[in-house]
Amino acid sequence: MSKPDGTSYQKYLPRIDEESRGYWEALARHELHVQRCRDCGAKRFYPRALCPVCLSAATEWVRASGRGTVYTFTVTYQNQAPGYRDALPYVLAVVDLAEGVRLMTNVVDCAPEAVRIGMPVEVLFEDVTPEVSLPKFRPA
Amino acid sequence: MSIWRKTAVVGAYEHPTRFAPHMTPFQIHAESARGALADAGLTIRDVDGFFTSGVGPIGIMSLAQHLDLRPCYLDAQSIGGSSFVSHCLHAAAAIAGGLCAVALVTYGSTAASERFAIGTGGSFATEPPDHFEAPFGPTIVGSYALVAQRHMHEYGTTSEQLAEIAVTMRRHASLNPHAKYRDPITVEDVIASRMISSPLHLLDCCMISDGGGALVLTSAERARDLRKPPVLILGGAEAVRHGEIGTRDLLDVAAFQSGPLAFRRAGVTPGDVDMCMVYDSYTITVLTTLEGLGFCPRGEGGAFSAGGRIGLGGALPVNTDGGGLSSNHPGMRGIFLVIEATRQLRGEAGPVQVRDAHLACVHGTGGMLGQRHSGVTLILGGT
């Protein structure tokens, strides 16, 4: 795979499947969406066809504000996998979205040592292939 | 119908190797099976239930061929390093239910000589949740580090408290002639060691070694006529924790579910326990597991683990063999938890023997603590 700028992208690319296509298509438009069950109202992340709370298939997408706070994080100093080893150190984080779900991400655009739990962050979109944009976060 | 107190561990063997480039994993399985069956005073022809893990999706059949076993009960449980603790629970149910009479559990790995980078080798993306995590670069140690960072934030747990766990395991390993790392370390050594994934340092992390082991279980009735004093399965339970619908409390580890249920089934309490074997993949694993099992309230694992309480001579000796932090860790450590608990309850633990050890608690953790992990608790009793 090559990035839009033609360089090779070595990190893991997500598999876009029938359960998650809407999520990835929204990200490619630089929008972050979560799912909400139209029967029981539960929001869920990651996206899947049936609501795990009530098993309803009636689902709607809700566009997230992109604002959140850091729930937890780790500064990664060692990862031998291609792509990641060239990006060390990087911040792996779990972010609480304002919409009430948690997702794994990276906190970027700041010194890794500056990241704190509870820090307000906002989404940005990293275009890694023509089909895949990843939701990452920076200090808000 | 209760299955508790009706079955027993009657054979246990820990392979002494820690580095075996001259051996295959199946050979370690076979040598371990030979050791555990000899310990029990049984032969391989007595085995009619076979339990293993870490051998590939249908590898249990190949391993059955390697050992020429014809079991009428097979279990290739695959929930990470806790799988072998789970095997013992399943074997107890199978034996008590009449599905098999003599269960053999085996493990073998050459992870170190094959130079597997397990903890920092990156992640894999095969199943739906992986695709929302793997792109961001979680390592196994990173997944546990997410839990450690949150624990520090919520409860003020310190790197020094985590380090004390590693120091205690090393002290135990210094008494174990087979342990891979035996030189004493200090809290300062742990904190000065290289940061791998904050807040976890190199010495907060288990090693990768080669090794293996085996266990033999049968009915309590048959156990009475065998070579060694039986170690009874008094209770047990399993659990899995995951990201839920994107709302999970990362400090609510699987032991909070499996631990209380296992104790209730055994009819004992944490206060009754003489020694504990906990999967110490990382120091934070021990701390959160002890909270979940009920040895201390949630949030107090740091203070509980300090001051020598979990060391030999303390109120609750933990991992008397030196654990995965200092003795051995071929990738899936669950079997060694049951083996060392068995040695302790038989009074065979030599220089690390806990005096009057009659009741042991074993807890295996498998997978990635901050993403998806399993927990299996077993309560074992000596005679």
Side-chain angles (χ1 to χ4, degrees), chain A residues 2-61:
Chain A
S2 61
K3 287 171 76 168
D5 65 5
T7 57
S8 169
Y9 184 75
Q10 291 185 292
K11 295 179 182 176
Y12 285 106
L13 283 170
R15 186 185 67 219
I16 299 172
D17 60 25
E18 292 313 310
E19 289 197 271
S20 64
R21 188 173 307 282
Y23 175 74
W24 296 111
E25 287 178 350
L27 284 174
R29 301 192 303 269
H30 288 196
E31 295 176 11
L32 177 62
H33 284 207
V34 300
Q35 289 177 314
R36 182 166 58 204
C37 175
R38 283 200 291 205
D39 282 323
C40 78
K43 288 180 188 146
R44 62 183 187 263
F45 188 86
Y46 57 90
R48 54 208 109 157
L50 300 192
C51 169
V53 177
C54 72
L55 298 182
S56 166
T59 300
E60 61 188 352
W61 292 100

Side-chain angles (χ1 to χ4, degrees), chain A residues 12 71-72 74 78 80 90 102, chain B residues 120 123 137 146 197-198 246 248:
Chain A
Y12 285 106
Y71 171 74
T72 190
T74 179
Q78 191 171 326
Q80 295 169 47
Y90 61 87
R102 281 183 184 142
Chain B
T120 58
S123 55
L146 291 172
S197 194
S198 68
R248 185 182 153 217

Side-chain angles (χ1 to χ4, degrees), chain B residues 76-156:
Chain B
Q77 173 70 299
S78 181
I79 53 171
S82 60
S83 296
F84 305 90
V85 185
S86 171
H87 287 146
C88 295
L89 183 58
H90 295 189
I95 293 163
L99 297 176
C100 64
V102 174
L104 173 66
V105 184
T106 68
Y107 174 51
S109 162
T110 52
S113 50
E114 292 175 57
R115 303 183 65 83
F116 283 157
I118 297 175
T120 58
S123 55
F124 44 86
T126 52
E127 284 154 3
D130 301 326
H131 298 290
F132 304 89
E133 298 167 354
F136 305 102
T139 59
I140 294 181
V141 53
S143 190
Y144 286 76
L146 291 172
V147 177
Q149 192 83 257
R150 184 72 198 178
H151 205 283
M152 290 178 162
H153 175 78
E154 283 192 33
Y155 297 112

Side-chain angles (χ1 to χ4, degrees), chain B:
Chain B
M1 184 200 81
S2 166
I3 66 167
W4 312 120
R5 299 171 192 269
K6 292 183 178 159
T7 66
V9 177
V10 294
Y13 181 78
E14 178 185 327
H15 202 290
T17 191
R18 298 296 186 266
F19 189 64
H22 56 293
M23 295 177 75
T24 72
F26 273 28
Q27 183 180 358
I28 297 176
H29 278 268
E31 290 185 4
S32 298
R34 183 179 62 195
L37 287 162
D39 186 55
L42 291 166
T43 76
I44 197 153
R45 296 278 77 83
D46 294 311
V47 173
D48 65 351
F50 185 41
F51 301 70
T52 194
S53 193
V55 289
I58 55 172
I60 191 171
M61 295 191 286
S62 306
L63 191 53
Q65 176 174 341
H66 213 70
L67 296 169
D68 194 26
L69 293 171
R70 292 169 180 77
C72 60
Y73 192 88
L74 290 128
D75 185 330
Q77 173 70 299
S78 181
I79 53 171
S82 60
S83 296
F84 305 90
V85 185
S86 171
H87 287 146
C88 295
L89 183 58
H90 295 189
I95 293 163
L99 297 176
C100 64
V102 174
L104 173 66
V105 184
T106 68
Y107 174 51
S109 162
T110 52
S113 50
E114 292 175 57
R115 303 183 65 83
F116 283 157
I118 297 175
T120 58
S123 55
F124 44 86
T126 52
E127 284 154 3
D130 301 326
H131 298 290
F132 304 89
E133 298 167 354
F136 305 102
T139 59
I140 294 181
V141 53
S143 190
Y144 286 76
L146 291 172
V147 177
Q149 192 83 257
R150 184 72 198 178
H151 205 283
M152 290 178 162
H153 175 78
E154 283 192 33
Y155 297 112
T157 305
T158 65
S159 288
E160 286 77 7
Q161 288 172 330
L162 289 174
E164 263 205 64
I165 296 170
V167 170
T168 303
M169 299 309 108
R170 183 62 63 89
R171 181 159 69 83
H172 295 166
S174 73
L175 300 167
N176 176 357
H178 298 301
K180 185 160 176 174
Y181 298 120
R182 303 186 61 200
D183 293 337
I185 53 173
T186 64
V187 166
E188 292 70 35
D189 292 333
V190 178
I191 290 171
S193 66
R194 187 170 90 244
M195 192 70 90
I196 303 295
S197 194
S198 68
L200 298 180
H201 304 79
L202 177 67
L203 293 178
D204 284 300
C205 305
C206 64
M207 71 181 81
I208 298 300
S209 69
D210 294 340
L215 293 161
V216 180
L217 295 93
T218 192
S219 68
E221 192 182 350
R222 187 163 180 182
R224 282 199 290 270
D225 303 325
L226 296 178
R227 281 187 63 215
K228 294 286 181 72
V231 169
L232 294 172
I233 310 280
L234 306 182
E238 301 178 342
V240 61
R241 295 309 316 271
H242 48 69
E244 300 170 354
I245 57 172
T247 52
R248 185 182 153 217
D249 170 2
L250 284 196
L251 303 187
D252 183 26
V253 299
F256 281 94
Q257 183 182 340
S258 66
L261 184 54
F263 277 110
R264 196 154 62 242
R265 287 171 169 171
V268 297
T269 68
D272 299 323
V273 169
D274 299 309
M275 67 88 57
C276 194
M277 292 298 300
V278 171
Y279 203 129
D280 58 337
S281 45
Y282 303 93
T283 51
I284 185 64
T285 323
V286 177
L287 191 156
T288 55
T289 300
L290 292 174
E291 293 178 359
L293 293 173
F295 289 105
C296 63
R298 174 173 155 157
E300 295 181 17
F304 182 86
S305 303
R309 192 183 275 105
I310 66 168
L312 271 168
L316 181 74
V318 172
N319 296 355
T320 45
D321 62 342
L325 287 164
S326 286
S327 177
N328 63 342
H329 187 279
M332 303 172 82
R333 187 158 209 279
I335 202 161
F336 305 115
L337 307 178
V338 181
I339 292 171
E340 174 69 0
T342 298
R343 286 192 289 243
Q344 286 284 355
L345 294 173
R346 286 174 172 174
E348 292 179 344
V352 295
Q353 181 64 50
V354 175
R355 196 189 306 177
D356 297 327
H358 300 297
L359 190 69
C361 174
V362 171
H363 183 87
T365 300
M368 298 157 293
L369 202 65
Q371 292 156 268
R372 285 163 292 290
H373 72 275
S374 64
V376 187
T377 309
L378 270 187
I379 311 296
L380 301 174
T383 47

